Amino acid sequence: MKNSEFLKLSALDLVEGYKKGDFTVSDVIETALEYIEVNERNLNALITPLYEEARSRSWMLDAALARGEELGSLFGVPVVVKDNITVDGVRTTCGSRMLENWISPYSAHVVECLERAGAVIIGKANMDEFAMGSSTEFSAFGPALNPWDLSRVPGGSSGGSAASVAAGYAPIALGSDTGGSIRQPAAFCGVYGLKPTYGLVSRFGLIAFASSLDQIGPFARSLKDVAAILQVISEPDARDATCTRKERPNYAEFLNVTSLEGFKVGYLAGYESLEIDDEIKRAISQTIEICKESGAEIVEVDLPISTRYGLPCYYTIAPAEASSNLARFDGVQYGFSVAADDLKELYLKSRGSGFGPEVKRRILIGTFVLGSSRYDAYYLQAQKVRQLIIREFNAAFSKADVLITPATPTLPFKRGEKLTDPVKAYMADLFTIPVNLAGLPALSMRASMSQSGLPVGVQLIGKKFGEGDILKAASVIEQVVGPAATALGGDRK
Ligand code: GLN
């Protein structure tokens, strides 16, 4: 096997290869690191590559393999972690100048889980500052690019994680999703991105954006890897009070089904007339057709409140929570600090130059909607709309097991295209945001490639803790459209 072939293998194929003695962990890690070094000049998918750490861990794992030790389910698998998830002893910047030099003294629960399973963290991924954005252009470390077309954005805010998996840096990565930050970049980069049910995966060690919406989830190029990494990171954890103790199913068991007999797939009534790209509409129809041919019953569902009021509801609640979560970055306790004569000036100067423009906008919106004279009209009203959205989804799920919707209204957009118009950028999350408001799980996956060679994604939404249903339907679709491809060097434009 040529070394560059390692970059195309799935996580589980790598583990198989190590077990059979086809190659060693250091062979694979070395290949990945060399490839990253060359490609990072273009992609900028990583804020902090962990060359030395990954190298020494690969030697340690090879030694364990030679001693015949029992191997974890992600043994020797390279993984990229979004830079708002902490790794002990490594800086966690959140894509912000505010935390540029902040070294985390502890690891997130999901990172501990990955390491226990034998994974090798090879880098911390680029992201929009504090996970606010949908293009990774709001990173204080420069934008990440889309590996399929370097003139386009990879999506965001977990754009660096999605681009890393699409480019072949690693078969799997972690991101976070508050309003679409896993699913939108996954769609733009043509890989799988799963936002688990709110409460399935512990957020211990995730720097909070909007606590009632944030979830950590995986990126991968195949469904079997999605199931494998989800199994690992969804281990219950008492350090996040919202993390359920409910027993997790064996996610791999939902894969490789060939029939959807007795299964109901819902689609959005009138999606053909929505303002979405024609190629995305076509991908939705094809995906529904695949489900139908596999025996699923296809039903129409209506989500008028979610599609109409989801965005304003989110852009009230999320900034409100963010303005309170980000109050801790005051120049005193954490990170960036500017010397000043008095405390107020210290706050103003540190926050004024530590935060970038989008984060400031969110703090301003959040502070505005929470103001005592505006609270009822904005924040409270948004909470009521959120309840209506939850009810609307409940009604849809009384008719269907899984819903198929667009992941995004458009294909990956050009760099700079939405930078000066925030509302236009917020529209990128039209279909992903209601899912967070309702706390549901959803997967975005590549359904086809556009005529211009860009990935076209669709979204599968499940009931609470219905990750298994999503995997089942997605597995039938994957068998027809194939797993995600790697945009290795020459494959891209
Ligand atoms: N793009 C959305 C925002 O800017 C979602 C971000 C996210 O999910 N973290 O808020």
Side-chain angles (χ1 to χ4, degrees), residues 131-134 157 177-181 209 314-315 362 429:
M132 298 169 189
S134 39
S157 64
D177 190 313
T178 305
S181 277
F209 164 7
Y314 171 87
Y315 278 100
R362 305 292 175 102
D429 297 315

Side-chain angles (χ1 to χ4, degrees), residues 404-465:
I404 295 186
T405 74
T408 58
T410 67
L411 298 180
F413 47 86
K414 291 265 189 197
R415 284 176 60 189
E417 201 178 308
K418 305 196 180 197
L419 215 46
T420 50
D421 186 343
V423 175
K424 224 164 145 195
Y426 298 168
M427 292 297 288
D429 297 315
L430 181 65
F431 296 106
T432 50
I433 273 174
V435 173
N436 299 74
L437 289 167
L440 303 172
L443 172 81
S444 93
M445 67 186 287
R446 188 191 64 141
S448 61
M449 291 302 271
S450 75
Q451 279 179 346
S452 54
L454 295 170
V456 185
V458 297
Q459 175 175 236
L460 275 65
I461 310 173
K463 299 173 189 163
K464 269 202 174 158
F465 300 106

Side-chain angles (χ1 to χ4, degrees), residues 25-253:
V25 180
S26 42
D27 288 340
V28 169
I29 297 296
E30 209 51 57
T31 307
L33 297 181
E34 276 168 28
Y35 175 75
I36 289 171
E37 213 167 348
V38 174
N39 281 269
E40 265 306 86
R41 284 177 221 144
N42 289 326
L43 277 188
N44 199 29
L46 303 178
I47 291 176
T48 311
L50 297 171
Y51 297 115
E52 288 319 309
E53 294 84 344
R55 233 169 236 135
S56 25
R57 185 157 160 83
S58 73
W59 298 329
M60 207 187 78
L61 291 173
D62 278 332
L65 188 65
R67 285 195 299 271
E69 282 178 23
E70 207 179 307
L71 309 186
S73 62
L74 295 176
F75 180 86
V77 174
V79 48
V80 163
V81 174
K82 186 175 182 180
D83 209 19
N84 58 352
I85 299 172
T86 60
V87 177
D88 191 3
V90 172
R91 70 173 180 159
T92 299
T93 70
C94 272
S96 179
R97 203 173 165 206
M98 187 57 96
L99 291 177
E100 194 171 359
N101 299 310
W102 184 70
I103 312 270
S104 173
Y106 70 105
S107 281
H109 174 73
V110 287
V111 167
E112 290 175 352
C113 293
L114 284 175
E115 288 184 334
R116 268 200 298 275
V120 183
I121 298 172
I122 56 169
K124 301 295 301 292
N126 204 352
M127 56 182 282
D128 285 298
E129 187 175 7
F130 283 102
M132 298 169 189
S134 39
S135 66
T136 316
E137 292 172 291
F138 286 120
S139 165
F141 300 86
L145 306 184
N146 191 315
W148 292 103
D149 179 345
L150 299 177
S151 69
R152 292 175 192 273
V153 303
S157 64
S158 316
S161 305
S164 295
V165 171
Y169 286 9
I172 52 176
L174 289 183
S176 67
D177 190 313
T178 305
S181 277
I182 292 176
R183 291 158 290 153
Q184 187 257 10
F188 276 15
C189 292
V191 296
Y192 291 94
L194 176 74
K195 182 203 93 76
T197 306
Y198 186 80
L200 184 69
V201 176
S202 164
R203 285 107 36 98
F204 177 78
L206 169 72
I207 312 255
F209 164 7
S211 310
S212 77
L213 301 159
D214 298 339
Q215 258 306 279
I216 295 175
F219 291 91
R221 293 189 304 265
S222 67
L223 271 181
K224 58 180 187 179
D225 280 3
V226 173
I229 183 171
L230 182 64
Q231 202 76 50
V232 168
I233 63 170
S234 66
E235 187 186 292
D237 175 31
R239 293 170 296 182
D240 173 358
T242 63
C243 182
T244 176
R245 288 164 188 232
K246 217 173 144 79
E247 201 174 322
R248 277 64 169 165
N250 178 355
Y251 293 110
E253 275 175 10

